[in-house]
Amino acid sequence: MKLGQAVKMAAKSIFSNVGRSVLTMLGIIIGLAAVIILVSYAQGQNAALKAYYESMGTNTISVYAYSWGGSTDVGQALYDYCLGMGDKVAGVTPVGEVYRETRISYESKTLPSDDWNTRTTLCLGSDQFSMCREYTLARGRDLSFLDIKRSNQVCVIGSATAEDLFSFADPIDKTISINGLPFRVIGVYQSKAAGITANSKDDMSQYMVESMKRQDRIIVLPYTMTRYFNDNQPIDQYTVKVKNADDISVVVTGLKGFLSGIIDTNRGGYGVDSPQTSINDQNEANAMQQRFLGGIAAISLLVGGIGIMNIMLVTVTERTREIGIRKAIGAERKSIIVQFLIEAAMICGIGGIFGIGVGYVGTLIVGKLSFNIILVPSPAITVGAAAISIALGLIFGMYPAIKASGLQPVVALRAD
C-alpha cells in the first residue's frame, strides 16, 4: 500500500466517526494546552522576577561596611579602591536611607509618612547613585560632583513623588521642605513601575509590583547632607556597579579582601553580597517549577494517549473483517501496521494543532491577567508540543497496530 493511499484511508476512518474522533482528541487537546499554558506561566513569572531585579539594579554589588575609633574613612577608601578597578567597576555610591520619620512638603501638600506602601524614601547618594541603582532621568539634571562637595541643598525625585507633590505642574526648580530645610528640585526620574499591574490573586506578583512602585517614591539628596539626618551617623551601605556580569565574582572577592584589610572586626564589620546570587537561585527555582508544572500537565497527555490506544483497539475490532480480507489477498504485516499508525498519528496531530491553538489563547489570557503583559509561548514549547502529539500517536497506536497486523486471515474473516 502506498503512503498516500494509507493517509486517505486513515482520514476516511477518522471523519466517518467525527463525534468519537473529537472526544478522543479532547485528551490530547487538553493535555497539550495545559503543558503550553503552565510552562509559559512559569516563564512569564521568571520574566517578571527578572524585570524586578533589573529595576533594583543589574550587575550590582551591595556592600555593608563600618568602622569606629579608627583613622580610616571607609567610604573614601572604598571609593578609591573601586576607582582603581575602573576596567571592571563602573561606579560606586553610598546609599544612606533615612529611617526616622521625616516631614516632606510643598506649599500646602505634605506627603504621608505612616504607611509603608505610600511613604517616600529619603536617600543620601552620590552623583553616581542613578547609574548604580538603575534610575533614568526623565527631565532636569542629576546630582553633580559639586553638589556633593558643597553639600548643596538640591534633590532628584521619583516620578510618584513628583506626582504626589506637584500633580501636573513641572517640579524643576521648585523648592520643597524636608524637616523644615529647603531643597531645590533639579531632576525627576522616570517611572520604574510604569505600565505594570499586579494579579490580585498572585501574592508574588503583588509584592514585586508594590516594590517597584515604592522605588518611584524616592527623594535623593547629596550624601554629604547626612549631618542633618540620622543624627550625623556615617553611612554604612554602598552599591557598586560592575561593568560586566562575568566580573561580579571577581569584584566581590576583591572587595572582601580589601575590606578585611582595612576594617578591624573588633571595631567594625563588613559584608559583600550581589543580587546576582539571588537571581541565580531564583532561576534554579523557576526551572524546577517549570519541570514540576510540565510533569503535572504530562499526566493529562498520558491519559489522552491511553484514550488513543483504547479507540484504536476499538477500531481494530470494528475492522477485523477488512483486515482479514486484506491479508487474504496478500497484504503484508508492515502495511497493516503503517495504516493504523498513520491513523493514530493523524488523530493526535489534529488534536495537537487544536491543543497548540488553545494553549496560545490560554497563554495570552494568563499573561494579561497575571502579569499584564503579552505572554507568547516560546517556539521551543510549540515545536515540542507538536512533536509530542505525533509521538503519542505513534507510541500509543503501536500496540493496536501490531495486534491488527497479527490477526490470522481465517480468524479475521469469521468475525461479524
Side-chain angles (χ1 to χ4, degrees):
M1 178 185 296
K2 295 181 180 180
L3 182 61
Q5 186 179 1
V7 171
K8 289 180 181 178
M9 291 182 65
K12 181 179 179 182
S13 174
I14 293 172
F15 290 106
S16 63
N17 296 282
V18 176
R20 187 174 72 183
S21 299
V22 169
L23 291 175
T24 304
M25 293 175 189
L26 275 179
I28 302 299
I29 294 172
I30 294 172
L32 282 182
V35 169
I36 292 172
I37 293 172
L38 291 177
V39 174
S40 296
Y41 173 82
Q43 290 181 341
Q45 191 176 53
N46 188 32
L49 282 169
K50 182 179 179 181
Y52 169 66
Y53 282 119
E54 287 179 347
S55 73
M56 298 176 66
T58 56
N59 298 348
T60 59
I61 298 172
S62 299
V63 178
Y64 170 69
Y66 67 97
S67 179
W68 66 86
S71 59
T72 302
D73 183 344
V74 175
Q76 186 61 48
L78 178 64
Y79 178 81
D80 292 339
Y81 176 76
C82 291
L83 192 65
M85 299 182 68
D87 58 329
K88 293 183 174 61
V89 175
V92 58
T93 180
V95 184
E97 186 170 335
V98 178
Y99 291 100
R100 75 181 195 182
E101 186 174 346
T102 54
R103 180 180 174 85
I104 303 169
S105 60
Y106 172 71
E107 294 182 347
S108 61
K109 291 185 179 180
T110 300
L111 297 180
S113 59
D114 54 348
D115 187 348
W116 170 254
N117 289 320
T118 58
R119 70 182 291 269
T120 297
T121 301
L122 195 61
C123 278
L124 304 168
S126 72
D127 54 320
Q128 298 178 6
F129 180 90
S130 58
M131 176 185 63
C132 293
R133 299 301 292 266
E134 295 293 332
Y135 281 98
T136 303
L137 277 177
R139 47 191 149 163
R141 69 172 179 87
D142 211 340
L143 295 176
S144 68
F145 174 77
L146 289 178
D147 290 328
I148 308 301
K149 184 177 181 180
R150 297 173 180 174
S151 299
N152 291 338
Q153 291 180 223
V154 296
C155 64
V156 182
I157 63 179
S159 59
T161 302
E163 184 177 348
D164 292 341
L165 281 176
F166 301 98
S167 298
F168 298 103
D170 186 1
I172 304 301
D173 288 331
K174 300 292 194 306
T175 300
I176 64 175
S177 173
I178 303 176
N179 285 359
L181 294 174
F183 285 86
R184 182 168 59 91
V185 178
I186 60 172
V188 179
Y189 291 128
Q190 288 183 4
S191 173
K192 288 193 175 188
I196 299 177
T197 59
N199 177 13
S200 59
K201 297 182 180 179
D202 190 336
D203 293 337
M204 177 60 74
S205 171
Q206 285 184 327
Y207 171 77
M208 289 188 298
V209 171
E210 289 303 321
S211 296
M212 295 176 74
K213 286 181 178 178
R214 280 196 293 271
Q215 293 181 63
D216 288 336
R217 286 190 166 87
I218 188 173
I219 297 177
V220 182
L221 312 175
Y223 73 87
T224 46
M225 298 296 297
T226 186
R227 62 181 179 273
Y228 295 110
F229 304 97
N230 291 340
D231 299 323
N232 201 29
Q233 293 296 316
I235 298 174
D236 55 15
Q237 300 280 353
Y238 304 87
T239 296
V240 178
K241 176 79 171 181
V242 181
K243 290 182 178 179
N244 194 317
D246 296 335
D247 294 327
I248 287 181
S249 60
V250 175
V251 177
V252 167
T253 302
L255 285 170
K256 288 180 178 179
F258 169 72
L259 292 172
S260 67
I262 66 170
I263 295 179
D264 182 358
T265 53
N266 294 320
R267 292 178 172 270
Y270 67 91
V272 181
D273 188 28
S274 171
Q276 190 66 40
T277 303
S278 300
I279 294 174
N280 292 337
D281 292 342
Q282 189 62 51
N283 286 340
E284 292 181 8
N286 285 337
M288 291 180 62
Q289 183 186 43
Q290 288 183 30
R291 289 193 291 269
F292 177 71
L293 293 176
I296 293 176
I299 296 175
S300 299
L301 286 175
L302 179 62
V303 174
I306 293 173
I308 295 292
M309 182 184 292
N310 180 53
I311 290 302
M312 292 308 299
L313 287 172
V314 171
T315 301
V316 169
T317 301
E318 291 177 345
R319 296 166 62 183
T320 301
R321 285 183 60 83
E322 175 192 329
I323 295 169
I325 292 172
R326 290 183 58 191
K327 296 198 70 174
I329 60 177
E332 298 179 354
R333 288 194 62 179
K334 64 179 182 181
S335 66
I336 303 294
I337 292 175
V338 168
Q339 178 187 346
F340 280 92
L341 284 181
I342 288 175
E343 185 172 334
M346 284 186 67
I347 292 175
C348 287
I350 296 171
I353 293 173
F354 283 103
I356 291 171
V358 173
Y360 262 78
V361 174
T363 298
L364 291 172
I365 295 173
V366 167
K368 187 65 177 177
L369 295 179
S370 298
F371 310 109
N372 196 34
I373 60 175
I374 299 177
L375 186 61
V376 179
S378 68
I381 295 178
T382 305
V383 173
I388 288 173
S389 64
I390 301 298
L392 281 174
L394 296 177
I395 293 171
F396 287 94
M398 183 62 70
Y399 173 68
I402 292 175
K403 181 178 179 181
S405 68
L407 290 175
Q408 296 297 321
V410 176
V411 176
L413 289 170
R414 288 177 181 173
D416 296 331

